[in-house]
Amino acid sequence: MMEEIDDQNILLDFEALNQIQGEMVLSHCEVKFTERTILMDNEIDKNSFDLFREHYLTKYPPNKNLSEEEENLLYANLLLTTLKSIKYRYRKVFIIYQACNQSDPITWVENFMKLMTDNREAIVAFGGKDDTFYETSLGLLNDVKSLYQSHHKKDKLSVSWGGSPTQFVELVLALYKAEHETHNILTYGPDIKDEKALISAMAHKFNFVIKDIYNYIESIKARKEIKGQEDKKARFLHKLIDSLIAYCRDSDSL
């Protein structure tokens, strides 16, 4: 019988969690994580593999606006403490889950590995009685990196995107909302939870890395509509219409 995966199965016992969660393993972080997903504890769609700011309420209260450096340090500490708070058998799942939230999973895993090696002494000390935490965590990270590299080679198309990130995001957002009769034009698995995940997945297919996808989406949404020119939010899509018309015209003239 398959074991049900819930918080009780995934996390260490309560006493161990109290010793881990909220501990500042690192006082500074040289490794820069560009996409940092940190949730508040009252989020509806959450699970034990997410990173929660509440674990550091004393140092980082909810009403405090964090600088880039502070948020990066918080994220790095959350990665380490959350990884350690999870039972060993689920730690690789945690790493894969977090990597899937990135537009470039391989670079993220490499950054996590660099975080470990750059701060070996502090992380070994953090391991405490679990004196294998440092080595086994590096091993798991390397396994996940190899997994992604293998998938990366098989999964890429022989074409690449040569346009701008904004153009790519605009195109995928249109496909995301497009419908045929009663169904969306695109179909995808449960791992694609929203438009950000879809953009990341499709960019990967086209050998294209997009960082800060959220900012590109917001910039498109923020485009001002001018009276009589309601198409301003779809700049690239209208260029595609012109391109299709030009293709048909040129083909007919052959």
Side-chain angles (χ1 to χ4, degrees):
M1 183 176 180
M2 186 176 292
E3 179 184 6
E4 182 181 354
I5 298 180
D6 58 25
D7 286 357
Q8 188 174 1
N9 290 326
I10 294 171
L11 300 176
L12 299 176
D13 62 77
F14 184 76
E15 183 179 348
L17 289 176
N18 279 341
Q19 294 175 352
I20 296 170
Q21 293 177 346
E23 181 173 345
M24 290 296 293
V25 185
L26 308 176
S27 58
H28 67 280
C29 179
E30 297 297 328
V31 179
K32 302 301 180 186
F33 293 94
T34 56
E35 297 176 67
R36 302 177 294 268
T37 302
I38 302 174
L39 303 183
M40 300 299 288
D41 200 41
N42 58 1
E43 299 274 354
I44 297 175
D45 188 14
K46 63 178 182 177
N47 62 60
S48 296
F49 297 132
D50 286 315
L51 307 179
F52 296 100
R53 181 167 172 170
E54 274 78 1
H55 294 171
Y56 290 91
L57 280 179
T58 302
K59 187 170 181 60
Y60 301 110
N63 59 349
K64 180 181 180 181
N65 293 323
L66 303 183
S67 66
E68 186 83 7
E69 292 74 17
E70 286 177 319
E71 186 178 275
N72 191 67
L73 178 60
L74 171 61
Y75 181 80
N77 276 289
L78 280 171
L79 283 177
L80 294 170
T81 55
T82 305
L83 178 62
K84 191 170 187 295
S85 69
I86 293 170
K87 293 177 181 177
Y88 176 78
R89 64 189 301 183
Y90 296 115
R91 286 176 182 173
K92 183 184 285 190
V93 181
F94 165 75
I95 294 170
I96 293 173
Y97 175 83
Q98 287 294 326
C100 284
N101 290 328
Q102 304 292 314
S103 58
D104 185 355
I106 294 176
T107 297
W108 178 85
V109 173
E110 289 175 340
N111 282 338
F112 199 165
M113 294 176 74
K114 185 173 182 353
L115 178 74
M116 298 284 291
T117 55
D118 284 358
N119 300 279
R120 184 182 187 281
E121 186 176 340
I123 296 172
V124 168
F126 170 62
K129 293 180 181 179
D130 183 4
D131 57 2
T132 64
F133 175 71
Y134 176 81
E135 295 296 341
T136 56
S137 296
L138 268 183
L140 293 174
L141 285 163
N142 192 57
D143 288 347
V144 173
K145 178 183 175 182
S146 298
L147 178 68
Y148 269 105
Q149 287 176 327
S150 175
H151 179 71
H152 188 75
K153 292 176 182 177
K154 297 175 182 178
D155 199 41
K156 288 291 188 76
L157 297 175
S158 58
V159 295
S160 299
W161 180 261
S164 71
T166 304
Q167 290 172 331
F168 189 87
V169 171
E170 185 179 319
L171 175 62
V172 179
L173 286 177
L175 292 172
Y176 178 73
K177 288 295 292 183
E179 295 182 349
H180 174 65
E181 296 179 348
T182 60
H183 304 285
N184 284 357
I185 286 178
L186 294 180
T187 58
Y188 34 81
D191 55 317
I192 305 297
K193 296 181 177 180
D194 55 25
E195 58 269 39
K196 282 180 60 181
L198 178 63
I199 292 166
S200 176
M202 292 189 68
H204 173 76
K205 293 282 188 180
F206 282 88
N207 306 318
F208 189 60
V209 176
I210 303 181
K211 297 181 178 180
D212 298 324
I213 292 175
Y214 174 81
N215 288 335
Y216 286 111
I217 293 174
E218 290 302 306
S219 70
I220 292 171
K221 289 165 60 177
R223 289 174 180 171
K224 293 182 179 179
E225 294 186 358
I226 302 174
K227 188 175 182 180
Q229 298 181 6
E230 287 78 9
D231 59 350
K232 285 297 180 180
K233 291 186 184 296
R235 297 170 188 170
F236 181 58
L237 297 181
H238 281 271
K239 287 183 179 180
L240 292 181
I241 293 173
D242 294 338
S243 296
L244 177 59
I245 293 172
Y247 168 79
C248 295
R249 183 181 60 245
D250 294 345
S251 298
D252 290 341
S253 64
L254 294 178

